[in-house]
Amino acid sequence: MKKTASFGLLFLLAIIILAAAAVTERTILSLVKQFSAEDPFVAGQAITALAKIGGPAVGYLTRSLAAENDNVRWCSAIALGKIAPAGAQAISCLTAALQDRDSNVKWCSAIALGNFNHEALPAVPELLNLLNDADRDVRWAAYIALAKIDREKINRVPQISGVIEKLQRLTPPLMKEFKVPGVSISVIKNSELAWSESFGVSDAVVQTNVNNKTIFEACSMSKPVFAYLVLKLVEKGKLDLDKPLGDYLDEPFVSDGDYAKLITARLILAHTSGMPNWRKGGEERGGPLPLYFKPGTKFSYSGEGIYYLQRVIEQLTQEPLETYAKGNLFDPLGLESTSYTWTEKLDPRIATGHDPSGACIKRSRYAHANAAYTLYTNPDEYAKLIVKILNANKADEFSLSAQMLTEMVTRQVRMDTRDVIDRPGRSLGLVAYRGLGWVIDSTITGDIVYHSGSNQTGFTCYAQFNSREGSGIVIMTNGKNGSDLWGRLISAVGDL
């Protein structure tokens, strides 16, 4: 009798379980169907309900993750991410979804994979590829996932051959797209010049080919070179970074007397002096120069500040900037094509700048040096200076010590008004800072130091280096749209 009763109870329980399973399947399918709803709130409620169901819904969600409808796939990825770390059987399907045509699906699939932590190790190769996705948000999702699954894999260094191949392949079509007549690029690897190549013409009318001897305007990339000279004087004890510049230069350079007494070399090199970028009418006439805020309180880019510090340096050295730079850096480093002023000797090799349409602009002849923007040079020679920075503590007289180079690339102020440079892979940016003469982007694998430049005369340029890796790149163009070009190149290659 007991056996018959026990058998009947077990049979009844089996029927109840099967009935519950059938109800659950109908419920799940009904909820998944809501992913096609036009109202995102309806889809969101369905996702929440499926997340509560949990494991039993995973198989259905992995199938809907392959649906034709983009929104269905998107919602499926969201739901799987909410269920994780349960439902590990979805990892392979989520990994496949990292190649989805829809960026939202890729973004949510990457986030979901991160929620599985180490169980998602098989997804790491695809997530690493996703660090180079065209969509910045997708790259962020890949980084978030990798940081949870296996952070060490993020540090994979790209092969220099692959970087060069990208630069050679991408540059010509970008020149055509942005109407930039000429480009010259130099790449640094293992703290030495590893590759350089030139593209296009130095003048759209004359059609002279650009080569590695062609000279460009370095534009605002003049400033880091000047910063190097300033820090060498600090190292020699001739200038104090934190001493008011009024103690060195008696003339009232700035209009506001009280705040002017607070300006130091450090504040100028970090662009926290309070000065405008340029005063009304420019610096040459010596017109009134106001301060917009108390020095040292925030970041605001200022060419006037650099020019002020130039006047101080010329007072200290009793030499014009060009003469001092030539004798204390350019000649010792063998920079034969680098000068803060135009010369007849350099003129035949100086490129012509071009407007956004690609038409020639009247060539500049900077007769008076301005540390903020008048430097003439080429990428190879600018790269030589970066190599010198990467190789600290050399015995020669014009090298900076490791301590001073560290001071140069130490974060001085956060730049909340500027975004980090768009870079892929392990160089994905976090926050931008100012160092002394350089910009510093904190990235997921450490700091990258850079500076860009653009002159009204039709030149744009960019340089960056990574002291941890001994890598760097210099890109110079003779087109106003060159910033779009170098931006696209850096967004493709990131760090070197």
Side-chain angles (χ1 to χ4, degrees), residues 95-115:
T95 303
L98 297 179
Q99 298 184 37
D100 197 276
R101 64 174 181 261
D102 188 279
S103 62
N104 292 317
V105 178
K106 290 192 285 187
W107 187 85
C108 290
S109 297
I111 295 294
L113 285 164
N115 293 339

Side-chain angles (χ1 to χ4, degrees), residues 177 196 258:
E177 178 180 351
S196 59
D258 291 338

Side-chain angles (χ1 to χ4, degrees), residues 333-348:
L333 197 53
L335 307 184
E336 299 177 352
S337 301
T338 301
S339 173
Y340 270 110
T341 56
W342 173 90
T343 67
E344 289 187 7
K345 180 181 178 181
L346 297 180
D347 187 70

Side-chain angles (χ1 to χ4, degrees), residues 38-46:
E38 292 184 7
D39 187 346
F41 183 79
V42 172
Q45 286 187 315

Side-chain angles (χ1 to χ4, degrees), residues 174-485:
L174 287 174
M175 291 170 65
K176 184 176 181 180
E177 178 180 351
F178 295 117
K179 297 180 175 59
V180 176
V183 178
S184 190
I185 306 173
S186 297
V187 168
I188 298 163
K189 194 69 175 176
N190 298 321
S191 299
E192 62 182 19
L193 183 61
W195 173 83
S196 59
E197 190 164 328
S198 300
F199 307 82
V201 296
S202 62
D203 187 294
V205 174
V206 179
Q207 291 286 303
T208 304
N209 288 336
V210 176
N211 58 47
N212 67 342
K213 299 296 184 183
T214 301
I215 298 170
F216 296 79
E217 291 183 28
C219 313
S220 287
M221 276 167 47
S222 305
K223 297 176 177 74
V225 178
F226 176 64
Y228 190 101
L229 293 165
V230 171
L231 293 176
K232 188 62 185 178
L233 286 169
V234 173
E235 191 175 272
K236 290 179 177 180
K238 295 183 178 181
L239 177 72
D240 188 322
L241 275 173
D242 300 305
K243 186 176 179 179
L245 293 187
D247 293 354
Y248 297 102
L249 189 66
D250 291 335
E251 66 177 89
F253 190 84
V254 180
S255 302
D256 288 324
D258 291 338
Y259 275 176
K261 296 174 184 177
L262 303 176
I263 298 173
T264 66
R266 182 186 300 278
L267 299 186
I268 282 177
L269 293 177
H271 292 274
T272 60
S273 69
M275 298 185 207
N277 189 15
W278 297 109
R279 73 189 84 182
K280 187 173 178 60
E283 79 284 4
E284 290 92 347
R285 295 178 181 83
L289 179 60
L291 291 181
Y292 288 160
F293 56 86
K294 183 179 179 181
T297 57
K298 64 179 181 178
F299 164 80
S300 183
Y301 192 76
S302 175
E304 287 284 2
I306 299 298
Y307 184 56
Y308 181 14
L309 186 53
Q310 174 187 334
R311 298 284 290 275
V312 171
I313 298 308
E314 289 174 332
Q315 174 69 30
L316 283 175
T317 63
Q318 291 295 294
E319 290 184 279
L321 173 61
E322 170 58 21
T323 304
Y324 183 77
K326 184 175 173 60
N328 291 273
L329 184 60
F330 301 163
D331 285 352
L333 197 53
L335 307 184
E336 299 177 352
S337 301
T338 301
S339 173
Y340 270 110
T341 56
W342 173 90
T343 67
E344 289 187 7
K345 180 181 178 181
L346 297 180
D347 187 70
R349 292 189 286 120
I350 298 175
T352 301
H354 298 78
D355 67 19
S357 71
C360 293
I361 296 176
K362 183 179 179 181
R363 295 178 66 191
S364 67
R365 291 188 176 186
Y366 298 124
H368 306 286
N370 188 310
Y373 65 88
T374 66
L375 189 71
Y376 295 97
T377 190
N378 59 49
D380 276 4
E381 294 200 356
Y382 204 93
K384 280 186 179 181
L385 178 66
I386 293 177
V387 167
K388 182 56 81 174
I389 292 172
L390 293 172
N391 291 284
N393 271 339
K394 295 298 180 182
D396 49 79
E397 190 176 337
F398 58 96
S399 291
L400 287 178
S401 65
Q403 180 180 356
M404 191 56 66
L405 288 170
T406 298
E407 186 79 35
M408 175 189 282
V409 296
T410 295
R411 301 170 184 177
Q412 304 290 322
V413 61
R414 179 168 169 161
M415 298 198 305
D416 292 321
T417 57
R418 295 201 178 187
D419 293 329
V420 294
I421 296 294
D422 185 20
R423 301 184 188 89
R426 65 198 185 101
S427 305
L428 186 65
L430 302 171
V431 181
Y433 299 87
R434 269 281 166 179
L436 299 180
W438 293 90
V439 190
I440 302 167
D441 277 354
S442 67
T443 78
I444 60 176
T445 52
D447 287 350
I448 292 179
V449 181
Y450 81 93
H451 211 288
S452 61
S454 176
N455 278 357
Q456 294 299 316
T457 47
F459 290 87
T460 54
C461 51
Y462 176 82
Q464 74 175 37
F465 66 88
N466 181 336
S467 56
R468 301 181 314 283
E469 305 291 345
S471 61
I473 187 170
V474 182
I475 304 171
M476 291 187 170
T477 83
N478 62 349
K480 283 287 288 181
N481 293 334
S483 56
D484 293 313
L485 182 146

